[in-house]
Amino acid sequence: MNVHVLGPFRAALVAVEGHWTWYRRNWRATVISNFLQPVLFLLAMGVGFGSQVQAGEATGGHPYVVFLAPALLVITAVQNAVFESTWAVFSAFKWQRSYQGVVSTPITPAQVLYGQLLWIALRLAAGTAVFLGIAVALGAITNPSAVLAVPFAVLAGMAFTAPVVAFTATREKPDSFNVIFRFLVMPMTLFTGGFFPMSQLPDWLHPLAWVTPVWHGIELARGVTFGTLRLLPAAGHVAYLSALVVLGIVLGRRYFHRRLAV
Amino acid sequence: MTRESSTQASRNDGPDTDGLDTANPPAAPKSSNGLLFRIIPPGLYAGRSHVLVERSYLVSKRAWMSVISGFFEPLFFLLSLGFGFGQLVTTVEGPGGPMPYAAFVAPALLAASAMNGAVFEATFNLFFKFKYAKVYDAVLATPMGPVDIALGEAAWCLIRGGLYSGGFIVVMLGFGLISSPWALLALPVCLLVALAFAAAGMAAATFMRSWHDFDLVQLAVMPLFLFSTTFYPLSVYPGWLQTVVQCTPLYHAIELMRALTTGYVGWGALGHVVYFVVMAAIGVVVAARRLGKLLLT
Amino acid sequence: MSGPAANVTVVTSTLVHAKGLTKHFGSFEAVRGIDVEVSKGEAFGFLGPNGAGKSSTMRMVACVSPRTGGELRVLGMDPDVDGPKIRARLGVVPQQDNLDTELTVRQNLQVYGRYFGLSRSAVRERAVELMEFAQLTDRADAEVEPLSGGMKRRLTIARSLVNDPDLLLLDEPTTGLDPQARHLLWDRLFRLKQSGVTLIITTHYMDEAEQLCDRLVVMDGGRIAAEGSPSELIRRYSTREVLELRFPPGEQSAAEVRDLAERVEVLPDRVLLYTADGEAALSAAHARGVRPVSSLVRRGTLEDVFLRLTGRTLVD
């Protein structure tokens, strides 16, 4: 037998392969939350609620559903990332102990982390791409440049995922995940300009929104969809989101090592 | 089973506690449970469901952060919808004519949060305790029966849901979103709605095989939340879709809440109430039967 | 107890009486007609391999599983009619710990006591006593989940005593525990026995059955194969001593030693010779030029009884 130690990139790919093997048997369970839920949101909020909204200055002159769609792309990415970066990672440490199984092979804790993050990024890409397709079919997105919103949405999703995965690696109990959802994810999706312009919120709330990856993601996605994105602000948003990803990876490496190399 | 022997069972079902607890004889089931004793075989009900509420209370004391946070979910929605979205919309068609959006959406959120809380508490917790933690196996080794479990868990759902709903009603009052004394009935109606959804959720949980099936719960609750005229009036839908929506439970809950907080209450409200009474009754019966069948084999 | 109902709960000296007891799950017959009598104060055992029908029997006695057929009286009552009343006076230790992982050690005991209708002050006191008994006092307010297997088991046993039961049912009490934890547990169970608690134990460990049981039945395939005290059973179905001869895989043969013992069993890895004098049989085998890899003379055990009755070993 030709056994050898894989390089770091190949090792992460092998870890992704492990996730994919599992997913092929269990993908049905994710269809509803990953693909259907965002579409239902688009229908209820964009079409249903949107019917009550006059297109005007607040919606950038667009019908409400068109105004909403690119933002929902980012929100979809973050919503999909929540479960994968909390419960799924926690379970792999604690309940299934699948990470412990992987690190008893030549694969290192850091490579387990890379594999997990890569896997989540692929899932987010699939979720947002499908959503984009459906939004186009429903006429909520007409601009071809909206395709570029997918990578931005994934980046925003990963800027949330990476630090949360690192946090999850430090948890012994799953109690805090509900709190993350309610106090981080919910406000982050509702108050960062996705459903209504930030100008309708009190000024003191604005800096809080600027810290969140969702706000940066929405700025990028909406900007690229409507062709209003300028290079300098775009670079700023991308740099901020990337910094969050890097921060998450650095912390995650440390915590994965601490938890798995014992 | 005759009535005599079942009451005998009730009088005698305490443990033999020689030397342990002579000063505190085991609590006999309260007389208010008499009716239940007559219609349910004694093996299924010991009249001590309140102990399961005590258990849940102890557990929640240890996870208070998670419990409190449940209150903020509808609050965030209200702030966002009422005061963010709301400014995109001037007025919407409510029960008594055009009304401000915040006042339109708040009672709907009240009803939806009663549903959400009850359904997730009932399905998720029941399934966890039933299938994984095996809590009920241990309970059933004592004099307690499956009906004690079903009632106890439903009661806890209601207590918790009632606290959330009460809090939300106070917030609505603070924002001036309540314009009628009928709103005093909003809390009891919330409890009825929560009971109906909790009972249905518990019944559903007994049919679940794995965690994957929770996506089906999500599949039922999510569209209800989004499409039951929560965020916009029924008139948005084409005629046939209006009929479909009018059959769903959350629609009835929302109609009822909107009527109570605005004061436009008609006899139709009674129809909504009956809807939930029937739903609750069916749910409790199915849940207790299924639990008994699954646990006592 | 008072009132006319009191005579229903008279404690007879026979705590469990089963005749022709059966249990079917669909077409599967888990218990195929067993007769059992357990008297007050004794420690009674069901010995048998996994799948022999021991746990199904225990669940019927615990009144959480309705019988399919036959007679069953527990504490003089019919489980189908008086389930809750019987359960009120039983202590149950299930095969798998089902402690409440959302509660602490102390709360587990208190809440469980409340299920029996004990008052809050009574369960508070009782919990303290029981934690002492289970040697868990220093973990009183700890979470249940991180406890060791032995501690969880002791807590489950303590929990089963919260109502001061007349009859304690223990389903595989020490399966999965390390030897030290097992001995600690046996010590606790022995004390219970001394204090007069009636025990019913299922096990597939013959040493456990020998240690704890005054009387036992050997179960196999849903039926009772034999009944008696451990020493009686050994006398009846085994010999005083057993000579074990180990050979390299594939080279063992019983032919050369068959006449050296009352009975010879050939297992995949060894040959057992049943004889009153093991040393004599060993010398005789050596004299014939039989050269095993290793040999061992030991006394007869319940394992040998089981092998004799069923042709199989208990733990495989």
Side-chain angles (χ1 to χ4, degrees):
Chain A
M1 262 178 276
N2 183 16
V3 176
H4 60 275
V5 176
L6 298 170
F9 185 66
R10 284 280 306 282
L13 284 184
V14 168
V16 167
E17 208 177 298
H19 289 293
W20 171 242
T21 312
W22 178 88
Y23 189 72
R24 268 196 322 220
R25 286 165 29 81
N26 296 286
W27 61 272
R28 281 176 203 84
T30 64
V31 167
I32 292 164
S33 50
N34 283 9
F35 301 117
L36 191 60
Q37 189 168 313
V39 176
L40 293 181
F41 251 94
L42 184 66
L43 287 174
M45 293 317 205
V47 180
F49 172 78
S51 69
Q52 306 289 300
V53 180
Q54 292 287 322
E57 199 194 332
T59 61
H62 304 286
Y64 185 72
V65 66
V66 173
F67 165 79
L68 181 65
L72 263 187
L73 204 63
V74 177
I75 289 168
T76 297
V78 172
Q79 297 271 18
N80 284 358
V82 176
F83 180 85
E84 295 300 321
S85 52
T86 54
W87 292 99
V89 170
F90 184 81
S91 170
F93 273 118
K94 188 93 183 178
W95 293 327
Q96 320 246 22
R97 301 184 66 81
S98 46
Y99 287 161
Q100 281 85 343
V102 175
V103 293
S104 62
T105 73
I107 292 179
T108 65
Q111 290 161 354
V112 170
L113 171 70
Y114 302 150
Q116 184 68 55
L117 292 179
L118 200 53
W119 171 244
I120 295 176
L122 289 172
R123 292 280 299 274
L124 300 189
T128 44
V130 169
F131 178 77
L132 179 76
I134 294 172
V136 168
L138 291 172
I141 288 180
T142 48
N143 205 328
S145 63
V147 171
L148 288 174
V150 169
F152 286 141
V154 174
L155 178 63
M158 292 312 289
F160 169 81
T161 299
V164 172
V165 167
F167 170 78
T168 302
T170 65
R171 295 293 97 185
E172 286 298 330
K173 295 205 299 181
D175 297 352
S176 42
F177 298 152
N178 273 340
V179 177
I180 287 187
F181 182 77
R182 283 170 174 153
F183 291 118
L184 218 57
V185 179
M186 285 269 301
M188 214 158 72
T189 51
L190 290 173
F191 301 104
T192 52
F195 290 97
F196 54 88
M198 291 263 291
S199 56
Q200 292 177 7
L201 289 174
D203 288 341
W204 61 268
L205 268 178
H206 292 192
L208 279 180
W210 296 337
V211 178
T212 67
V214 179
W215 180 75
H216 293 275
I218 289 174
E219 288 292 305
L220 285 167
R222 218 171 242 155
V224 78
T225 304
F226 299 133
T228 53
L229 197 60
R230 297 284 159 269
L231 189 61
L232 202 58
H237 293 309
V238 170
Y240 180 77
L241 293 174
S242 306
L244 279 179
V245 175
V246 171
L247 174 73
I249 291 177
V250 170
L251 291 176
R253 275 179 60 123
R254 184 181 303 167
Y255 299 143
F256 267 58
H257 188 81
R258 191 185 294 166
R259 185 110 177 220
L260 292 173
V262 282
Chain B
M1 184 92 289
T2 64
R3 187 185 156 186
E4 278 75 16
S5 52
S6 58
T7 40
Q8 258 179 18
S10 71
R11 217 177 300 140
N12 242 348
D13 67 352
D16 203 341
T17 49
D18 308 85
L20 167 68
D21 190 29
T22 38
N24 299 293
K30 293 181 196 75
S31 56
S32 60
N33 289 326
L35 178 66
L36 264 175
F37 264 106
R38 263 166 267 161
I39 57 174
I40 297 170
L44 301 182
Y45 186 53
R48 254 183 237 134
S49 46
H50 61 95
V51 182
L52 273 165
V53 176
E54 283 176 38
R55 178 201 169 274
S56 297
Y57 172 68
L58 282 177
V59 172
S60 71
K61 268 208 314 203
R62 290 154 49 75
W64 57 273
M65 186 64 176
S66 173
V67 175
I68 290 178
S69 70
F71 170 70
F72 286 87
E73 206 167 310
L75 185 63
F76 283 142
F77 260 105
L78 179 65
L79 291 175
S80 168
L81 287 161
F83 305 101
F85 287 44
Q87 289 170 28
L88 300 174
V89 183
T90 42
T91 55
V92 276
E93 197 57 32
M99 63 192 290
Y101 189 70
F104 174 83
V105 81
L109 288 174
L110 179 60
S113 81
M115 170 187 78
N116 274 328
V119 168
F120 285 109
E121 178 80 8
T123 55
F124 209 76
N125 279 353
L126 191 91
F127 186 75
F128 170 74
K129 289 184 222 168
F130 171 69
K131 197 105 176 185
Y132 286 89
K134 303 280 177 198
V135 173
Y136 301 138
D137 283 347
V139 174
L140 288 176
T142 75
M144 307 271 280
V147 176
D148 294 279
I149 295 176
L151 285 180
E153 296 294 14
W156 175 248
C157 279
L158 285 196
I159 292 169
R160 205 172 136 155
L163 288 175
Y164 290 156
S165 300
F168 194 81
I169 291 169
V170 169
V171 170
M172 282 173 70
L173 201 61
F175 282 125
L177 300 175
I178 287 177
S179 51
S180 159
W182 279 101
L184 282 173
L185 288 177
L187 185 58
V189 168
C190 274
L191 292 182
L192 175 65
V193 170
L195 174 68
F197 278 106
M202 275 165 52
T206 62
F207 287 95
M208 292 184 182
R209 293 147 301 171
S210 77
W211 293 109
H212 290 178
D213 290 338
F214 279 97
D215 267 42
L216 298 176
V217 176
Q218 188 75 2
L219 184 63
V221 171
M222 195 74 199
L224 283 183
F225 173 58
L226 290 174
F227 297 109
S228 300
T229 70
T230 321
F231 303 107
Y232 43 85
L234 189 67
S235 56
V236 168
Y237 293 118
W240 63 273
L241 210 50
Q242 290 190 9
T243 317
V244 173
V245 170
Q246 280 170 325
C247 294
T248 59
L250 187 59
Y251 168 79
H252 292 272
I254 290 173
E255 282 295 294
L256 207 44
M257 289 313 165
R258 263 190 201 131
L260 290 173
T261 55
T262 56
Y264 292 92
V265 182
W267 288 107
L270 273 181
H272 300 311
V273 170
V274 170
Y275 186 103
F276 288 109
V277 170
V278 171
M279 184 172 157
I282 294 176
V284 167
V285 169
V286 172
R289 281 215 183 148
R290 287 279 305 169
L291 276 177
K293 199 169 150 192
L294 293 174
L295 290 168
L296 301 172
T297 52
Chain C
M1 297 288 173
S2 62
N7 58 355
V8 178
T9 57
V10 166
V11 177
T12 56
S13 63
T14 302
L15 298 193
V16 178
H17 162 85
K19 203 166 166 59
L21 183 63
T22 59
K23 177 74 192 181
H24 297 178
F25 296 101
S27 61
F28 173 67
E29 298 175 52
V31 180
R32 306 173 177 219
I34 59 170
D35 300 349
V36 173
E37 295 267 333
V38 181
S39 309
K40 199 173 169 63
E42 75 174 331
F44 184 87
F46 288 95
L47 177 69
N50 291 328
K54 296 171 300 188
S55 291
S56 300
T57 307
M58 284 295 247
R59 285 175 51 80
M60 286 190 280
V61 174
C63 308
V64 290
S65 169
R67 64 181 180 270
T68 309
E71 273 175 43
L72 179 62
R73 308 285 284 176
V74 182
L75 305 172
M77 293 175 276
D78 180 349
D80 283 351
V81 180
D82 291 316
K85 246 197 291 185
I86 301 170
R87 291 201 299 267
R89 293 163 51 199
L90 296 183
V92 176
V93 178
Q95 192 166 355
Q96 296 216 303
D97 290 317
N98 53 13
L99 294 164
D100 198 327
T101 50
E102 293 179 282
L103 299 174
T104 63
V105 169
R106 186 198 304 274
Q107 288 174 335
N108 257 281
L109 296 169
Q110 293 183 345
V111 169
Y112 206 72
R114 296 282 293 148
Y115 293 144
F116 287 92
L118 301 176
S119 72
R120 284 191 189 79
S121 60
V123 294
R124 258 200 303 278
E125 276 173 41
R126 191 76 179 129
V128 173
E129 290 166 33
L130 289 170
M131 286 188 292
E132 192 125 333
F133 169 81
Q135 292 163 295
L136 287 168
T137 308
D138 53 331
R139 308 298 287 261
D141 297 304
E143 301 264 337
V144 164
E145 215 226 86
L147 296 182
S148 73
M151 288 177 175
K152 282 185 189 160
R153 215 62 192 139
R154 295 205 303 273
L155 179 56
T156 307
I157 291 175
R159 189 185 68 175
S160 72
L161 298 171
V162 75
N163 59 331
D164 205 4
D166 296 334
L167 175 61
L168 187 58
L169 308 177
L170 299 133
D171 197 356
E172 304 275 357
T174 66
T175 297
L177 298 185
D178 60 63
Q180 207 185 345
R182 292 181 74 194
H183 281 283
L184 190 56
L185 211 61
W186 283 343
D187 168 67
R188 298 289 112 174
L189 293 177
F190 206 76
R191 285 181 198 208
L192 286 176
K193 197 175 137 180
Q194 299 272 279
S195 69
V197 178
T198 309
L199 303 178
I200 300 183
I201 300 162
T202 76
T203 181
H204 62 260
Y205 294 123
M206 48 113 189
D207 50 345
E208 184 161 275
E210 285 188 53
Q211 286 257 358
L212 293 173
C213 300
D214 304 321
R215 205 158 58 83
L216 55 91
V217 291
V218 177
M219 270 191 95
D220 186 43
R223 290 203 175 84
I224 290 177
E227 180 183 345
S229 71
S231 56
E232 255 171 46
L233 286 170
I234 293 167
R235 246 195 333 272
R236 211 182 314 152
Y237 296 104
S238 178
T239 48
R240 204 167 62 84
E241 292 193 340
V242 181
L243 169 62
E244 291 197 9
L245 300 177
R246 234 169 244 278
F247 293 95
E251 289 177 28
Q252 61 200 25
S253 137
E256 300 153 20
V257 292
R258 180 132 295 175
D259 59 328
L260 295 180
E262 292 172 31
R263 195 161 59 83
V264 175
E265 294 276 357
V266 183
L267 300 183
D269 58 338
R270 64 216 142 108
V271 175
L272 306 182
L273 285 76
Y274 290 91
T275 169
D277 189 344
E279 288 297 340
L282 181 59
S283 322
H286 276 299
R288 289 187 186 179
V290 176
R291 292 284 175 269
V293 178
S294 67
S295 60
L296 165 73
V297 176
R298 56 170 177 80
R299 64 181 189 88
T301 66
L302 288 171
E303 180 82 46
D304 300 305
V305 172
F306 189 79
L307 186 63
R308 170 73 184 278
L309 289 168
T310 68
R312 288 181 291 115
T313 49
L314 267 172
V315 187
D316 37 29

